[in-house]
Amino acid sequence: MRIVIAGGGWAGCAAAAAASKVGAEVTLLERTDMLLGTGLVGGIMRNNGRYMATEEMIALGGGDIFAITDANSRHKNISFPGHEHANLYDIGKVPGAVTRFLKTAGVNIKFKSRVKKVEMNGNRIQAVITDQGKRYEGDVFIDTTGTAGPMKNCVRYGNGCAMCVLRCPSFGGRVSLTGLAGISETQGIKPNGAVGAMSGSCKLYKESLAPWIVDTLNEKGVAVIPVPEHLKENHLDIKACQQYALADFAENVILLDTGHAKLMTPYFELARLQQIPGFENARYEDPYSGGKGNSMRYFAMAPRDNTLKVNNIDNLFCAGEKAGLLVGHTEAIVTGTLAGYNATRFAHGLEALTLPEELAVGDAISYVNDQMQTSEGLGLKYTFSGSVLFKRMQKLGQYTTNHAEIKKRVAQTGLSGVFNNL
Ligand SMILES: Cc1cc2nc3c(=O)[nH]c(=O)nc-3n(C[C@H](O)[C@H](O)[C@H](O)COP(=O)(O)OP(=O)(O)OC[C@H]3O[C@@H](n4cnc5c(N)ncnc54)[C@H](O)[C@@H]3O)c2cc1C
């Protein structure tokens, strides 16, 4: 059974891992020369409700990718404002570790392969064609092309191309497989009514910071440095990641150690940042124009059901940001795993799995889908780590970090280890 995945971010990588685990022949097409997409500059895992979602996935048999991020964490079980028990993965090591893992699992990874055309047979996708004119036939396809950019969206809805890790000028911008198949997609909305949302963190070169900041980061994983009143900038309302839209993130420079110093704000004017003691030489690593803006996201989400099949196309699944207003690596990995598993079941003529709402992951997939049918819901973002979804986990009494309890709940649904076999 041939499964073709467009987009090698966290969702595409997780889909590839899940599908190859249950025997599919998987081709993963990625438009750039690296896997992980926006995950190349992220790193925060297991904070707040993500801890529970991760443990649920491990109990369900879908923990392979989480084992890699756990094993390559620079810091484990740290706290920062509003967030508990976070792991920070090493952005220098994880992309290589995931690439090697997928290759060993037999996934055929094709870099510099941007899907640009699609061949349809009625409501079925027959093949996809890349920029280079290479044609890939498949039985089932998965759209994990994300929602970031392309450049024209960053120019139109943001502060211009911020020169981020997605590198649209070099590799061509994002192209949606769902869009190519003729399906109309949904856009997210900012609180002020504008379309899209700005990515919420930048990376500074650690070498450009004062030694006392670097020592704090290396030792504790986190540094919280108050911003003098006259230098404060507040970009909380434009952030994609509403879980970090807390006053602490405007009043302080909050840095996390992911290898570089992850600065938890969409952008910060360089001349102002350099006036804060310790930041006199500060320099951006990603995006290069972090003094002016950041990448824009949430422009193209696919209509889908709770098995993650895209509506009105017979053999197309989706995951990650493409599957809704879901923010985060964990959210991309859990949906990617389900999409990869279900694509393989579908190829074998088996019924696709819907994760039950008794599980936090199942509840999130169906709740976000429902919310996206409302104009209010389209103005929000959803993550296990904060904002509406974490509050919902707490309200429903789901949230726990007790491993035995999580395993028991998964066992009660009869789905322990389900992702290990078809
Ligand atoms: C700066 C920044 C920092 C972040 N930090 C964190 C964090 O610390 N923790 C956290 O949990 N989340 C973080 N996030 C959010 C998180 O990275 C994303 O929500 C999640 O990883 C999205 O994964 P994805 O696979 O759906 O999409 P993406 O990461 O956008 O991946 C999509 C992939 O598809 C490829 N692609 C696009 N079009 C095509 C095509 N036509 N053909 C082939 N390939 C194509 C792209 O090149 C890309 O690799 C951050 C996001 C940003 C931008």
Side-chain angles (χ1 to χ4, degrees):
M1 292 298 161
R2 295 160 308 168
I3 300 206
V4 178
I5 303 171
W10 270 127
C13 291
S20 65
K21 188 172 186 174
V22 288
E25 185 188 314
V26 181
T27 302
L28 177 58
L29 304 173
E30 164 54 40
R31 58 178 256 286
T32 70
D33 54 1
M34 292 176 89
L35 293 181
L36 297 199
T38 57
L40 284 165
V41 290
I44 309 174
M45 305 290 286
R46 285 185 177 265
N47 48 332
N48 294 348
R50 283 178 180 157
Y51 193 99
M52 183 181 166
T54 302
E55 290 300 324
E56 268 187 9
M57 290 303 285
I58 293 168
L60 289 162
D64 299 331
I65 296 279
F66 293 114
I68 298 175
T69 53
D70 280 348
N72 289 282
S73 287
R74 292 177 71 83
H75 301 275
K76 290 189 174 173
N77 199 18
I78 66 158
S79 301
F80 56 95
H83 294 261
E84 300 294 331
H85 46 70
N87 283 6
L88 303 178
Y89 70 66
D90 190 321
I91 56 170
K93 293 193 177 139
V94 167
V98 172
T99 308
R100 287 188 291 278
F101 171 77
L102 292 180
K103 281 189 177 163
T104 306
V107 175
N108 184 17
I109 304 172
K110 297 283 180 192
F111 289 113
K112 295 189 256 181
S113 298
R114 184 172 73 141
V115 171
K116 205 174 83 178
K117 277 192 201 146
V118 69
E119 270 178 29
M120 303 290 296
N121 181 3
N123 285 341
R124 284 182 78 82
I125 300 177
Q126 195 99 329
V128 292
I129 295 148
T130 64
D131 270 342
Q132 291 75 23
K134 283 210 96 176
R135 184 173 176 279
Y136 294 91
E137 270 188 27
D139 297 301
V140 190
F141 294 78
I142 306 178
D143 184 352
T144 46
T145 52
T147 66
M151 224 165 83
K152 66 173 187 217
N153 281 334
C154 296
V155 171
R156 186 159 167 202
Y157 300 107
N159 294 349
C161 169
M163 305 183 80
C164 76
V165 75
L166 293 174
R167 298 164 291 161
C168 300
S170 308
F171 295 103
R174 170 183 58 81
V175 175
S176 164
L177 176 53
T178 303
L180 290 176
I183 300 298
S184 150
E185 297 178 278
T186 309
Q187 297 185 315
I189 298 163
K190 284 201 274 264
N192 65 7
V195 172
M198 193 177 275
S199 297
S201 71
C202 312
K203 262 73 8 200
L204 295 167
Y205 284 102
K206 267 201 212 165
E207 315 75 299
S208 72
L209 304 176
W212 63 269
I213 300 180
V214 178
D215 290 346
T216 308
L217 282 175
N218 288 343
E219 200 183 307
K220 300 189 170 146
V222 54
V224 179
I225 297 145
V227 181
E229 197 56 41
H230 68 290
L231 296 174
K232 278 184 186 156
E233 290 190 7
N234 187 339
H235 306 301
L236 298 181
D237 62 337
I238 56 169
K239 285 179 81 134
C241 33
Q242 288 171 351
Q243 70 273 32
Y244 310 121
L246 310 170
D248 289 306
F249 291 82
E251 280 157 20
N252 302 286
V253 170
I254 298 184
L255 298 176
L256 301 177
D257 177 25
T258 59
H260 293 293
K262 181 176 169 86
L263 169 63
M264 298 296 286
T265 186
Y267 61 98
F268 202 117
E269 192 192 336
L270 191 57
R272 292 161 81 87
L273 185 63
Q274 288 175 342
Q275 288 177 58
I276 301 172
F279 291 84
E280 292 81 357
N281 300 315
R283 178 174 163 180
Y284 285 100
E285 190 273 337
D286 178 87
Y288 268 137
S289 308
K292 189 175 172 217
N294 212 318
S295 53
M296 297 297 294
R297 317 213 307 270
Y298 298 99
F299 293 111
M301 290 157 292
R304 49 89 177 166
D305 64 21
N306 292 335
T307 70
L308 300 180
K309 198 187 83 60
V310 174
N311 298 346
N312 300 321
I313 300 291
D314 291 347
N315 60 344
L316 179 62
F317 287 78
C318 66
E321 292 185 3
K322 180 55 70 182
L325 289 153
L326 289 152
V327 187
H329 311 329
T330 304
E331 292 71 3
I333 294 166
V334 306
T335 51
T337 303
L338 182 64
Y341 181 73
N342 274 343
T344 315
R345 283 186 68 84
F346 180 88
H348 284 273
L350 299 168
E351 194 188 333
L353 172 72
T354 302
L355 289 173
E357 290 176 15
E358 290 76 43
L359 299 181
V361 173
D363 183 66
I365 289 171
S366 87
Y367 179 69
V368 172
N369 214 15
D370 291 346
Q371 291 300 298
M372 287 188 57
Q373 312 310 317
T374 69
S375 52
E376 196 195 337
L378 278 178
L380 299 171
K381 305 287 174 303
Y382 303 84
T383 160
F384 298 112
S385 67
S387 189
V388 271
L389 205 49
F390 184 43
K391 281 193 197 132
R392 181 175 162 82
M393 286 171 87
Q394 290 167 312
K395 195 172 129 207
L396 294 175
Q398 280 177 332
Y399 176 58
T400 174
T401 55
N402 181 317
H403 290 200
E405 174 63 24
I406 297 166
K407 266 193 192 161
K408 190 171 121 200
R409 286 190 206 166
V410 170
Q412 279 166 349
T413 65
L415 293 174
S416 301
V418 68
F419 290 123
N420 290 326
N421 302 293
L422 277 186

PDB file of all heavy atoms in Angstrom, residues 198-220:
ATOM      1  N   MET A 198       0.496  35.641  13.866  1.00  0.00           N
ATOM      2  CA  MET A 198       1.959  35.712  13.770  1.00  0.00           C
ATOM      3  C   MET A 198       2.612  34.693  14.703  1.00  0.00           C
ATOM      4  O   MET A 198       2.143  34.517  15.843  1.00  0.00           O
ATOM      5  CB  MET A 198       2.446  37.120  14.103  1.00  0.00           C
ATOM      6  CG  MET A 198       3.892  37.342  13.724  1.00  0.00           C
ATOM      7  SD  MET A 198       4.439  39.035  14.026  1.00  0.00           S
ATOM      8  CE  MET A 198       3.921  39.867  12.538  1.00  0.00           C
ATOM      9  N   SER A 199       3.661  34.039  14.230  1.00  0.00           N
ATOM     10  CA  SER A 199       4.374  33.077  15.076  1.00  0.00           C
ATOM     11  C   SER A 199       4.918  33.798  16.299  1.00  0.00           C
ATOM     12  O   SER A 199       5.281  34.972  16.236  1.00  0.00           O
ATOM     13  CB  SER A 199       5.497  32.411  14.288  1.00  0.00           C
ATOM     14  OG  SER A 199       4.922  31.689  13.215  1.00  0.00           O
ATOM     15  N   GLY A 200       4.991  33.064  17.419  1.00  0.00           N
ATOM     16  CA  GLY A 200       5.152  33.728  18.707  1.00  0.00           C
ATOM     17  C   GLY A 200       6.526  33.701  19.334  1.00  0.00           C
ATOM     18  O   GLY A 200       6.674  34.121  20.478  1.00  0.00           O
ATOM     19  N   SER A 201       7.564  33.218  18.625  1.00  0.00           N
ATOM     20  CA  SER A 201       8.890  33.246  19.270  1.00  0.00           C
ATOM     21  C   SER A 201       9.990  33.442  18.240  1.00  0.00           C
ATOM     22  O   SER A 201       9.814  33.156  17.057  1.00  0.00           O
ATOM     23  CB  SER A 201       9.139  31.951  20.057  1.00  0.00           C
ATOM     24  OG  SER A 201       9.340  30.870  19.182  1.00  0.00           O
ATOM     25  N   CYS A 202      11.111  33.956  18.714  1.00  0.00           N
ATOM     26  CA  CYS A 202      12.300  34.172  17.869  1.00  0.00           C
ATOM     27  C   CYS A 202      13.468  33.432  18.524  1.00  0.00           C
ATOM     28  O   CYS A 202      13.373  33.021  19.671  1.00  0.00           O
ATOM     29  CB  CYS A 202      12.685  35.636  17.828  1.00  0.00           C
ATOM     30  SG  CYS A 202      11.358  36.768  17.500  1.00  0.00           S
ATOM     31  N   LYS A 203      14.547  33.309  17.815  1.00  0.00           N
ATOM     32  CA  LYS A 203      15.745  32.709  18.392  1.00  0.00           C
ATOM     33  C   LYS A 203      16.895  33.702  18.337  1.00  0.00           C
ATOM     34  O   LYS A 203      17.128  34.324  17.298  1.00  0.00           O
ATOM     35  CB  LYS A 203      16.171  31.461  17.588  1.00  0.00           C
ATOM     36  CG  LYS A 203      15.723  30.172  18.151  1.00  0.00           C
ATOM     37  CD  LYS A 203      14.273  29.743  18.078  1.00  0.00           C
ATOM     38  CE  LYS A 203      13.236  30.420  17.349  1.00  0.00           C
ATOM     39  NZ  LYS A 203      11.878  30.206  17.660  1.00  0.00           N
ATOM     40  N   LEU A 204      17.594  33.860  19.466  1.00  0.00           N
ATOM     41  CA  LEU A 204      18.786  34.719  19.503  1.00  0.00           C
ATOM     42  C   LEU A 204      20.020  33.828  19.581  1.00  0.00           C
ATOM     43  O   LEU A 204      19.976  32.754  20.205  1.00  0.00           O
ATOM     44  CB  LEU A 204      18.756  35.613  20.745  1.00  0.00           C
ATOM     45  CG  LEU A 204      17.621  36.648  20.818  1.00  0.00           C
ATOM     46  CD1 LEU A 204      17.533  37.239  22.222  1.00  0.00           C
ATOM     47  CD2 LEU A 204      17.830  37.762  19.794  1.00  0.00           C
ATOM     48  N   TYR A 205      21.110  34.282  18.975  1.00  0.00           N
ATOM     49  CA  TYR A 205      22.379  33.569  19.151  1.00  0.00           C
ATOM     50  C   TYR A 205      22.789  33.691  20.611  1.00  0.00           C
ATOM     51  O   TYR A 205      22.886  34.805  21.136  1.00  0.00           O
ATOM     52  CB  TYR A 205      23.472  34.213  18.294  1.00  0.00           C
ATOM     53  CG  TYR A 205      23.374  33.896  16.830  1.00  0.00           C
ATOM     54  CD1 TYR A 205      22.856  34.823  15.937  1.00  0.00           C
ATOM     55  CD2 TYR A 205      23.824  32.673  16.334  1.00  0.00           C
ATOM     56  CE1 TYR A 205      22.770  34.547  14.586  1.00  0.00           C
ATOM     57  CE2 TYR A 205      23.733  32.385  14.985  1.00  0.00           C
ATOM     58  CZ  TYR A 205      23.214  33.323  14.111  1.00  0.00           C
ATOM     59  OH  TYR A 205      23.127  33.031  12.786  1.00  0.00           O
ATOM     60  N   LYS A 206      23.028  32.560  21.259  1.00  0.00           N
ATOM     61  CA  LYS A 206      23.479  32.614  22.662  1.00  0.00           C
ATOM     62  C   LYS A 206      24.797  33.380  22.763  1.00  0.00           C
ATOM     63  O   LYS A 206      25.031  34.120  23.713  1.00  0.00           O
ATOM     64  CB  LYS A 206      23.699  31.197  23.181  1.00  0.00           C
ATOM     65  CG  LYS A 206      22.516  30.583  23.868  1.00  0.00           C
ATOM     66  CD  LYS A 206      23.050  29.464  24.748  1.00  0.00           C
ATOM     67  CE  LYS A 206      22.106  28.342  24.890  1.00  0.00           C
ATOM     68  NZ  LYS A 206      22.730  27.147  25.419  1.00  0.00           N
ATOM     69  N   GLU A 207      25.663  33.205  21.724  1.00  0.00           N
ATOM     70  CA  GLU A 207      26.973  33.872  21.754  1.00  0.00           C
ATOM     71  C   GLU A 207      26.852  35.382  21.796  1.00  0.00           C
ATOM     72  O   GLU A 207      27.811  36.075  22.120  1.00  0.00           O
ATOM     73  CB  GLU A 207      27.819  33.554  20.522  1.00  0.00           C
ATOM     74  CG  GLU A 207      27.946  32.187  20.014  1.00  0.00           C
ATOM     75  CD  GLU A 207      26.781  31.595  19.276  1.00  0.00           C
ATOM     76  OE1 GLU A 207      25.686  31.461  19.853  1.00  0.00           O
ATOM     77  OE2 GLU A 207      26.975  31.217  18.114  1.00  0.00           O
ATOM     78  N   SER A 208      25.675  35.902  21.412  1.00  0.00           N
ATOM     79  CA  SER A 208      25.534  37.358  21.375  1.00  0.00           C
ATOM     80  C   SER A 208      25.006  37.911  22.707  1.00  0.00           C
ATOM     81  O   SER A 208      24.808  39.111  22.843  1.00  0.00           O
ATOM     82  CB  SER A 208      24.606  37.771  20.220  1.00  0.00           C
ATOM     83  OG  SER A 208      23.260  37.443  20.504  1.00  0.00           O
ATOM     84  N   LEU A 209      24.764  37.025  23.689  1.00  0.00           N
ATOM     85  CA  LEU A 209      24.196  37.461  24.969  1.00  0.00           C
ATOM     86  C   LEU A 209      25.278  37.493  26.049  1.00  0.00           C
ATOM     87  O   LEU A 209      26.315  36.815  25.932  1.00  0.00           O
ATOM     88  CB  LEU A 209      23.071  36.502  25.397  1.00  0.00           C
ATOM     89  CG  LEU A 209      21.937  36.335  24.369  1.00  0.00           C
ATOM     90  CD1 LEU A 209      20.930  35.304  24.854  1.00  0.00           C
ATOM     91  CD2 LEU A 209      21.253  37.666  24.075  1.00  0.00           C
ATOM     92  N   ALA A 210      25.014  38.235  27.126  1.00  0.00           N
ATOM     93  CA  ALA A 210      25.990  38.336  28.217  1.00  0.00           C
ATOM     94  C   ALA A 210      26.210  36.962  28.860  1.00  0.00           C
ATOM     95  O   ALA A 210      25.261  36.165  28.949  1.00  0.00           O
ATOM     96  CB  ALA A 210      25.474  39.313  29.267  1.00  0.00           C
ATOM     97  N   PRO A 211      27.441  36.691  29.329  1.00  0.00           N
ATOM     98  CA  PRO A 211      27.737  35.369  29.902  1.00  0.00           C
ATOM     99  C   PRO A 211      26.785  34.975  31.038  1.00  0.00           C
ATOM    100  O   PRO A 211      26.426  33.807  31.153  1.00  0.00           O
ATOM    101  CB  PRO A 211      29.174  35.531  30.417  1.00  0.00           C
ATOM    102  CG  PRO A 211      29.751  36.618  29.576  1.00  0.00           C
ATOM    103  CD  PRO A 211      28.627  37.538  29.225  1.00  0.00           C
ATOM    104  N   TRP A 212      26.340  35.938  31.866  1.00  0.00           N
ATOM    105  CA  TRP A 212      25.453  35.547  32.980  1.00  0.00           C
ATOM    106  C   TRP A 212      24.107  35.035  32.463  1.00  0.00           C
ATOM    107  O   TRP A 212      23.493  34.149  33.066  1.00  0.00           O
ATOM    108  CB  TRP A 212      25.273  36.686  34.003  1.00  0.00           C
ATOM    109  CG  TRP A 212      24.608  37.943  33.473  1.00  0.00           C
ATOM    110  CD1 TRP A 212      25.230  39.029  32.931  1.00  0.00           C
ATOM    111  CD2 TRP A 212      23.199  38.239  33.441  1.00  0.00           C
ATOM    112  NE1 TRP A 212      24.316  39.987  32.560  1.00  0.00           N
ATOM    113  CE2 TRP A 212      23.056  39.526  32.873  1.00  0.00           C
ATOM    114  CE3 TRP A 212      22.058  37.557  33.840  1.00  0.00           C
ATOM    115  CZ2 TRP A 212      21.818  40.130  32.678  1.00  0.00           C
ATOM    116  CZ3 TRP A 212      20.815  38.155  33.653  1.00  0.00           C
ATOM    117  CH2 TRP A 212      20.704  39.433  33.068  1.00  0.00           C
ATOM    118  N   ILE A 213      23.650  35.546  31.312  1.00  0.00           N
ATOM    119  CA  ILE A 213      22.384  35.039  30.739  1.00  0.00           C
ATOM    120  C   ILE A 213      22.612  33.624  30.191  1.00  0.00           C
ATOM    121  O   ILE A 213      21.817  32.710  30.431  1.00  0.00           O
ATOM    122  CB  ILE A 213      21.861  35.965  29.612  1.00  0.00           C
ATOM    123  CG1 ILE A 213      21.594  37.369  30.146  1.00  0.00           C
ATOM    124  CG2 ILE A 213      20.606  35.387  28.990  1.00  0.00           C
ATOM    125  CD1 ILE A 213      21.081  38.360  29.107  1.00  0.00           C
ATOM    126  N   VAL A 214      23.723  33.449  29.506  1.00  0.00           N
ATOM    127  CA  VAL A 214      24.025  32.135  28.922  1.00  0.00           C
ATOM    128  C   VAL A 214      24.181  31.090  30.027  1.00  0.00           C
ATOM    129  O   VAL A 214      23.647  29.971  29.926  1.00  0.00           O
ATOM    130  CB  VAL A 214      25.312  32.217  28.051  1.00  0.00           C
ATOM    131  CG1 VAL A 214      25.673  30.851  27.477  1.00  0.00           C
ATOM    132  CG2 VAL A 214      25.122  33.234  26.927  1.00  0.00           C
ATOM    133  N   ASP A 215      24.863  31.459  31.117  1.00  0.00           N
ATOM    134  CA  ASP A 215      25.043  30.515  32.230  1.00  0.00           C
ATOM    135  C   ASP A 215      23.694  30.126  32.832  1.00  0.00           C
ATOM    136  O   ASP A 215      23.445  28.948  33.117  1.00  0.00           O
ATOM    137  CB  ASP A 215      25.930  31.132  33.332  1.00  0.00           C
ATOM    138  CG  ASP A 215      27.375  31.269  32.872  1.00  0.00           C
ATOM    139  OD1 ASP A 215      27.728  30.659  31.836  1.00  0.00           O
ATOM    140  OD2 ASP A 215      28.138  32.011  33.518  1.00  0.00           O
ATOM    141  N   THR A 216      22.815  31.119  33.001  1.00  0.00           N
ATOM    142  CA  THR A 216      21.483  30.824  33.561  1.00  0.00           C
ATOM    143  C   THR A 216      20.741  29.866  32.633  1.00  0.00           C
ATOM    144  O   THR A 216      20.120  28.891  33.068  1.00  0.00           O
ATOM    145  CB  THR A 216      20.655  32.126  33.726  1.00  0.00           C
ATOM    146  OG1 THR A 216      21.435  33.054  34.440  1.00  0.00           O
ATOM    147  CG2 THR A 216      19.350  31.880  34.450  1.00  0.00           C
ATOM    148  N   LEU A 217      20.804  30.141  31.338  1.00  0.00           N
ATOM    149  CA  LEU A 217      20.100  29.280  30.374  1.00  0.00           C
ATOM    150  C   LEU A 217      20.654  27.862  30.401  1.00  0.00           C
ATOM    151  O   LEU A 217      19.897  26.886  30.428  1.00  0.00           O
ATOM    152  CB  LEU A 217      20.223  29.855  28.958  1.00  0.00           C
ATOM    153  CG  LEU A 217      19.300  31.029  28.628  1.00  0.00           C
ATOM    154  CD1 LEU A 217      19.612  31.591  27.248  1.00  0.00           C
ATOM    155  CD2 LEU A 217      17.834  30.593  28.697  1.00  0.00           C
ATOM    156  N   ASN A 218      21.978  27.746  30.390  1.00  0.00           N
ATOM    157  CA  ASN A 218      22.582  26.407  30.363  1.00  0.00           C
ATOM    158  C   ASN A 218      22.234  25.614  31.621  1.00  0.00           C
ATOM    159  O   ASN A 218      21.971  24.413  31.567  1.00  0.00           O
ATOM    160  CB  ASN A 218      24.101  26.505  30.226  1.00  0.00           C
ATOM    161  CG  ASN A 218      24.505  26.956  28.830  1.00  0.00           C
ATOM    162  OD1 ASN A 218      23.704  26.895  27.889  1.00  0.00           O
ATOM    163  ND2 ASN A 218      25.734  27.432  28.684  1.00  0.00           N
ATOM    164  N   GLU A 219      22.190  26.334  32.739  1.00  0.00           N
ATOM    165  CA  GLU A 219      21.969  25.651  34.013  1.00  0.00           C
ATOM    166  C   GLU A 219      20.491  25.341  34.256  1.00  0.00           C
ATOM    167  O   GLU A 219      20.119  24.230  34.607  1.00  0.00           O
ATOM    168  CB  GLU A 219      22.477  26.582  35.122  1.00  0.00           C
ATOM    169  CG  GLU A 219      22.763  25.885  36.427  1.00  0.00           C
ATOM    170  CD  GLU A 219      23.176  26.922  37.466  1.00  0.00           C
ATOM    171  OE1 GLU A 219      24.109  27.713  37.166  1.00  0.00           O
ATOM    172  OE2 GLU A 219      22.535  26.961  38.511  1.00  0.00           O
ATOM    173  N   LYS A 220      19.628  26.356  34.004  1.00  0.00           N
ATOM    174  CA  LYS A 220      18.211  26.209  34.387  1.00  0.00           C
ATOM    175  C   LYS A 220      17.269  25.993  33.208  1.00  0.00           C
ATOM    176  O   LYS A 220      16.118  25.613  33.399  1.00  0.00           O
ATOM    177  CB  LYS A 220      17.750  27.462  35.134  1.00  0.00           C
ATOM    178  CG  LYS A 220      18.551  27.704  36.404  1.00  0.00           C
ATOM    179  CD  LYS A 220      17.920  28.808  37.216  1.00  0.00           C
ATOM    180  CE  LYS A 220      18.580  28.855  38.582  1.00  0.00           C
ATOM    181  NZ  LYS A 220      18.685  30.183  39.119  1.00  0.00           N
TER     182      LYS A 220
END
